[in-house]
Amino acid sequence: MASKYFKKLTTRNTLLTLVFFALPFILLLVVVDLEISRLIKNQINQQLAGAVQENIKTIQLFLQDRLIDLGSVARLDCPDLKCLGDKEKLFLSLIQEKKWYDFIFIADLDGQIIQSYNRVLQGNISDRNYFRVSVRGQAFISDIFFSDITGTNVMIISQPILNVQGKIIGVLGASLNLNYLYGLLSDLRVGKTSELFLLSSEGLILSPTKLGAFPFAEKAFAGEINPHKGENGVITHIDYRGQEVLCAYQRLPGTNIYLASEMDLKEALLPVHRFNRIILYFFIPSFLFLVIISNLYSRRVTSLLQKLTSNLARALDECRERRRQLDLINKELENKIIESDRLARELQLSEQYIMHLIDSISLGLVGTDLEGRITHFNKHFKTIFELEEIQRGASIFEIAPVLKDKEIEEAFYRVVRESVARQLLARKLDRGHGEEYFNLSLFPILNGDNRLLGITILVENVTEKEKLRAKLAEYEKLSALSQLALGAAHEINNPLLGISSFLEILLEETPDPQKKQQIEVVLDNVYRISQTIRGLLNFARPAPPQFTKVNINQLIEDTLSFLSHQPLFKKVKIEQKFYPQLPPITADLNQIRQVLTNILINAAQAMPDGGRLSVETSKIKFEDFIQIDISDTGVGIPPENLKKIFDPFFTTKKSQGTGLGLSISLSYIKSHNGDIQVKSQPGKGTTFTIILPTRQKGRLQGKKEEVIT
Ligand code: ADP
Ligand code: MG
């Protein structure tokens, strides 16, 4: 493919080089050739014309001489033609001396030939041109023509004959020896086809030619039109032989005779052809040389180009290879970047996971180096010490100044020294929120070689726990007290029963209405004392659960009537809305009463400045459940506390509350397979909903019904 292309390139280059170098060369050759051919042709023409001129001159001279000859003998020293007889010798000498004339004749003024020499002639020539011209006193040279008088071809020259007075008395004519005339023509040129001849104005050949033309029989040209025109010229034409000839011709002055020198064009142009051949002989080797040189040159250029191209191709291949390698490296790099990205992401995720992990610990956690500079920490650590942001590398003792405690620092450096965990329990730390207690645990962070890397500190706010612990102690005290109160209530109740029985008998027996009224007042008060004590007993007595049929409406009414007398309910307006067809339920009366009491007391406590307390009962449709709604218009419960209110010991009432009411209540209701729900709007009020099944499955009923009066 490539070699084919380079072959083509070489050929093209060769051709181009040839065109560039040979074209001017050829042009030059052509120009030189043309110019030299022209020169040669001109030279030949000139030679031909020169030959004609020379011959014309010769003939002209000859004719002039002959006219002078004639003129000299035509002057007579006598008065008329009668003395001609004396002159005979003179005339004869003219003919005999040289072979110039064929014959001589003398005519009188009438044109009558009166004397002739060398030939006998008779007749009148008055109608002949030569006579008419010479009779008027002028010499004349005729054309060569056929004479009817002699019956031959003749050429006549004539002179007037003058007498002694110089008067024209006749005409002297002479016929020129044509052979002698022809003999004057000399073709100086040596050529096989060159010939010199005379011809008439009609183109008729008048003299014999070297190549054998018949005078007076043949025309010098082929065709119709005579090419010999004007005074002289150099022409080419087809001659009598049918050959193309180069012809120079000239008219003999004073006559209608032309002299022509002709030569075959082929022969005439021989030098031109020869020259052309020489040029060709010179041209062909030069051209061949040029071809070879161009070819060599092109080959050289092509080979250079080929080398260059192959080098370029190699360089290109190398480039491509490098690029391919680079691409591979790039690809590898890309993969590595993707891999490292993935690893980084994984690392980030795992770091995030660890962060979430330590964040998920509900204790404050902080990791430090051996100097106490923070390396890791969790959310709770920030929360506990109320820090917005923690700069890694910051000293833990500066960030949380509360930890700058002699004992804590001592513990920290002991862990650093001994690599043994330490714990500081219930440290009282002052964060500015009153009394607070923290458990601090310090752990050494060890690597695989047991080399200490840092310290982990766990901080736990145990204030609540501490407080609970204190409360529990108080509660235990209270429960002991309530046991005492219970005993006391029993002691009071028994004599009170006696007193009331006595007063009832006394009321019946006393006739005096005034005394009756007084007894009634006392009895009323005794009843009230009894009722109070009973309530107290029911509340505090840890009675075993006893399921009975309970009329809930009745129970609520009784409980409310008991509580409404308490000072707590002074400012509280109580509303009741009982569902009349509420079925009696199976339940532990005391437990339910205690639940109601707890919730009602809470409601009252939520309304220290008074409010409305409404209690509503209802039956849940299509189900064996009843519902008790206890609503107040009190302070409400903030959402974050809602989850906690059923926790034991959760209270917002400081020392006034135990935080046990709702937790005990829920446990009672759950043991009845029921539930307590709360809805609250802080600042508006709270509704507690107790749901209880009407029946307790698989439970034996105890007493029929307990009636509270
Ligand atoms: P205590 O009454 O001793 O605080 P409880 O278990 O009875 O304990 O109640 C727990 C907490 O629930 C109360 O401290 C109070 O904050 C909240 N609470 C209970 N009932 C109401 C209510 N009706 N209105 C507002 N807060 C209430
Ligand atoms: Mg309570």
Side-chain angles (χ1 to χ4, degrees):
M1 181 71 201
S3 78
K4 211 172 171 185
Y5 169 77
F6 283 113
K7 244 179 215 165
K8 253 191 197 168
L9 192 72
T10 313
T11 316
R12 213 168 46 209
N13 276 352
T14 311
L15 285 177
L16 266 177
T17 325
L18 265 182
V19 167
F20 273 119
F21 290 100
L23 207 63
F25 175 70
I26 292 170
L27 276 177
L28 189 73
L29 271 185
V30 168
V31 167
V32 167
D33 185 50
L34 284 178
E35 190 59 25
I36 289 179
S37 297
R38 203 173 56 80
L39 278 175
I40 293 171
K41 271 185 199 164
N42 273 352
Q43 215 178 1
I44 293 165
N45 288 353
Q46 268 169 20
Q47 272 178 14
L48 276 179
V52 169
Q53 254 171 15
E54 285 303 313
N55 283 290
I56 287 279
K57 255 185 222 160
T58 314
I59 291 169
Q60 223 179 345
L61 272 176
F62 172 72
L63 290 175
Q64 293 295 313
D65 286 351
R66 296 298 71 74
L67 279 178
I68 292 164
D69 284 349
L70 278 191
S72 66
V73 295
R75 284 171 188 278
L76 298 180
D77 47 4
C78 50
D80 54 34
L81 290 174
K82 285 174 187 142
C83 63
L84 273 180
D86 308 334
K87 304 287 179 189
E88 195 171 49
K89 264 189 190 163
L90 189 70
F91 290 126
L92 281 175
S93 75
L94 206 62
I95 297 174
Q96 281 157 1
E97 218 166 272
K98 295 269 166 64
K99 299 288 177 204
W100 288 332
Y101 307 105
D102 278 342
F103 57 87
I104 294 171
F105 62 91
I106 296 154
D108 63 12
L109 287 175
D110 297 327
Q112 194 64 45
I113 300 171
I114 53 168
Q115 183 70 354
S116 65
Y117 303 97
N118 215 24
R119 184 160 305 176
V120 181
L121 291 173
Q122 282 175 338
N124 192 301
I125 56 166
S126 61
D127 57 340
R128 313 288 155 129
N129 261 346
Y130 54 88
F131 174 78
R132 275 189 276 171
V133 172
S134 291
V135 90
R136 273 184 255 122
Q138 276 172 12
F140 185 83
I141 303 169
S142 80
D143 297 339
I144 296 171
F145 64 94
F146 180 78
S147 167
D148 50 353
I149 297 171
T150 61
T152 55
N153 287 326
V154 294
M155 182 177 179
I156 307 293
I157 58 171
S158 62
Q159 284 278 27
I161 303 171
L162 302 175
N163 69 4
V164 74
Q165 284 97 27
K167 203 176 150 213
I168 300 166
I169 52 169
V171 171
L172 175 65
S175 164
L176 289 171
N177 180 345
L178 284 178
N179 282 332
Y180 189 87
L181 188 74
Y182 294 154
L184 287 178
L185 299 177
S186 73
D187 190 0
L188 298 174
R189 291 172 43 79
V190 188
K192 267 193 237 162
T193 60
S194 67
E195 50 185 2
L196 196 72
F197 56 87
L198 297 170
L199 64 153
S200 71
S201 55
E202 283 82 32
L204 198 67
I205 294 176
L206 298 177
S207 62
T209 70
K210 192 170 95 187
L211 298 175
F214 291 104
F216 300 100
E218 282 177 293
K219 282 195 286 181
F221 60 92
E224 296 297 315
I225 300 156
N226 181 12
H228 311 85
K229 285 176 205 149
E231 289 305 310
N232 58 6
V234 178
I235 52 171
T236 55
H237 67 88
I238 311 291
D239 77 348
Y240 60 95
R241 294 171 297 141
Q243 294 291 327
E244 195 174 24
V245 291
L246 183 65
C247 164
Y249 64 92
Q250 192 172 350
R251 193 210 286 266
L252 194 62
T255 70
N256 277 328
I257 298 171
Y258 285 86
L259 182 72
S261 172
E262 288 188 355
M263 187 185 232
D264 278 7
L265 200 64
K266 243 188 236 163
E267 196 188 357
L269 293 182
L270 220 55
V272 177
H273 291 316
R274 205 171 300 135
F275 174 74
N276 281 349
R277 215 169 301 135
I278 291 170
I279 289 271
L280 212 62
Y281 289 157
F282 169 71
F283 171 77
I284 287 169
S286 311
F287 186 76
L288 280 179
F289 178 70
L290 259 180
V291 168
I292 291 164
I293 289 285
S294 323
N295 189 255
L296 282 178
Y297 173 72
S298 307
R299 265 164 204 273
R300 174 111 190 88
V301 169
T302 309
S303 92
L304 271 177
L305 268 177
Q306 210 165 353
K307 236 182 251 168
L308 206 72
T309 314
S310 80
N311 280 350
L312 262 178
R314 211 175 312 125
L316 213 71
D317 278 351
E318 251 169 58
C319 264
R320 256 188 228 129
E321 177 57 25
R322 290 229 175 108
R323 209 190 135 155
R324 203 180 58 78
Q325 281 171 357
L326 263 178
D327 277 354
L328 275 179
I329 292 172
N330 269 348
K331 189 85 208 152
E332 240 169 70
L333 261 176
E334 208 175 298
N335 285 343
K336 277 193 183 148
I337 287 171
I338 290 170
E339 177 65 15
S340 72
D341 270 1
R342 196 181 59 79
L343 284 177
R345 224 178 10 256
E346 260 173 33
L347 209 74
Q348 202 183 357
L349 281 178
S350 84
E351 198 180 285
Q352 269 172 9
Y353 183 77
I354 289 171
M355 284 320 289
H356 292 321
L357 194 82
I358 61 174
D359 271 349
S360 72
I361 302 171
S362 58
L363 308 176
L365 183 144
V366 65
T368 73
D369 64 8
L370 303 184
E371 269 84 46
R373 284 190 290 262
I374 293 174
T375 55
H376 292 83
F377 55 88
N378 73 351
K379 213 160 60 187
H380 287 280
F381 180 78
K382 284 205 293 185
T383 322
I384 288 172
F385 292 101
E386 292 165 333
L387 296 167
E388 287 280 297
E389 202 45 66
I390 295 175
Q391 210 74 109
R392 288 199 176 173
S395 165
I396 185 168
F397 300 111
E398 273 158 36
I399 270 203
V402 277
L403 296 178
K404 214 169 167 66
D405 172 279
K406 202 181 155 204
E407 220 175 311
I408 294 171
E409 280 182 290
E410 217 174 79
F412 180 88
Y413 289 111
R414 224 171 128 186
V415 176
V416 171
R417 269 198 314 279
E418 296 168 8
S419 295
V420 180
R422 292 199 63 76
Q423 225 178 1
L424 298 170
L425 293 174
R427 294 289 316 165
K428 194 169 155 191
L429 297 177
D430 188 6
R431 293 191 304 163
H433 299 302
E435 238 172 54
E436 284 185 308
Y437 298 91
F438 292 86
N439 280 353
L440 292 166
S441 312
L442 295 92
F443 303 98
I445 306 171
L446 299 169
N447 72 357
D449 307 329
N450 263 351
R451 202 166 64 80
L452 186 65
L453 301 176
I455 309 291
T456 307
I457 303 170
L458 280 178
V459 186
E460 185 184 6
N461 189 341
V462 291
T463 312
E464 287 298 316
K465 273 192 198 164
E466 278 301 301
K467 282 188 182 164
L468 269 181
R469 211 160 52 86
K471 265 218 188 112
L472 207 62
E474 202 179 335
Y475 182 76
E476 275 162 8
K477 213 159 65 187
L478 265 174
S479 94
L481 250 163
S482 71
Q483 291 301 319
L484 281 178
L486 207 63
H490 271 289
E491 290 305 310
I492 294 165
N493 207 24
N494 287 340
L496 212 57
L497 219 62
I499 291 169
S500 65
S501 309
F502 175 73
L503 282 176
E504 279 163 9
I505 295 164
L506 204 64
L507 188 67
E508 266 174 45
E509 286 174 358
T510 305
D512 186 355
Q514 201 188 339
K515 272 194 180 150
K516 246 186 174 110
Q517 204 181 352
Q518 285 167 344
I519 291 166
E520 267 175 6
V521 170
V522 175
L523 203 58
D524 261 3
N525 279 314
V526 169
Y527 282 155
R528 241 169 87 187
I529 293 166
S530 170
Q531 202 175 13
T532 308
I533 286 170
R534 239 197 149 89
L536 197 68
L537 277 174
N538 278 337
F539 180 71
R541 182 177 53 200
Q546 283 189 319
F547 288 101
T548 55
K549 279 267 181 230
V550 180
N551 181 343
I552 288 294
N553 285 350
Q554 179 70 54
L555 179 64
I556 293 170
E557 200 174 343
D558 289 348
T559 312
L560 275 175
S561 81
F562 167 66
L563 289 175
S564 61
H565 297 294
Q566 303 294 323
L568 189 61
F569 287 78
K570 269 260 163 61
K571 296 179 191 163
V572 177
K573 190 168 170 263
I574 299 170
E575 285 170 11
Q576 307 177 51
K577 212 171 154 194
F578 294 145
Y579 182 67
Q581 284 89 41
L582 195 73
I585 65 162
T586 311
D588 182 314
L589 181 95
N590 283 318
Q591 283 185 0
I592 301 300
R593 181 172 31 221
Q594 199 169 336
V595 170
L596 288 171
T597 310
N598 281 343
I599 291 174
L600 289 169
I601 287 172
N602 277 347
Q605 282 173 331
M607 302 184 288
D609 302 323
R612 210 172 58 245
L613 172 69
S614 85
V615 184
E616 186 182 344
T617 58
S618 53
K619 161 92 176 52
I620 298 178
K621 270 182 194 156
F622 313 119
E623 283 187 61
D624 292 334
F625 282 95
I626 62 142
Q627 181 174 327
I628 308 162
D629 292 301
I630 301 168
S631 310
D632 64 62
T633 55
V635 292
I637 305 165
E640 67 268 19
N641 284 353
L642 266 182
K643 288 178 278 178
K644 301 186 210 164
I645 55 173
F646 292 102
D647 293 349
F649 305 114
F650 177 80
T651 179
T652 56
K653 295 168 191 164
K654 306 258 162 88
S655 52
Q656 258 112 15
T658 60
L660 288 170
L662 283 180
S663 82
I664 289 170
S665 299
L666 185 65
S667 78
Y668 283 172
I669 295 298
K670 290 263 169 182
S671 73
H672 280 77
N673 299 317
D675 197 13
I676 304 178
Q677 292 159 0
V678 202
K679 272 184 208 139
S680 184
Q681 274 186 301
K684 289 207 170 159
T686 311
T687 300
F688 279 84
T689 301
I690 305 163
I691 292 166
L692 281 168
T694 49
R695 279 188 290 274
Q696 293 296 324
K697 279 172 202 148
R699 289 204 200 275
L700 282 170
Q701 278 174 222
K703 281 194 264 170
K704 265 270 173 207
E705 191 165 333
E706 188 169 338
V707 184
I708 304 160
T709 45

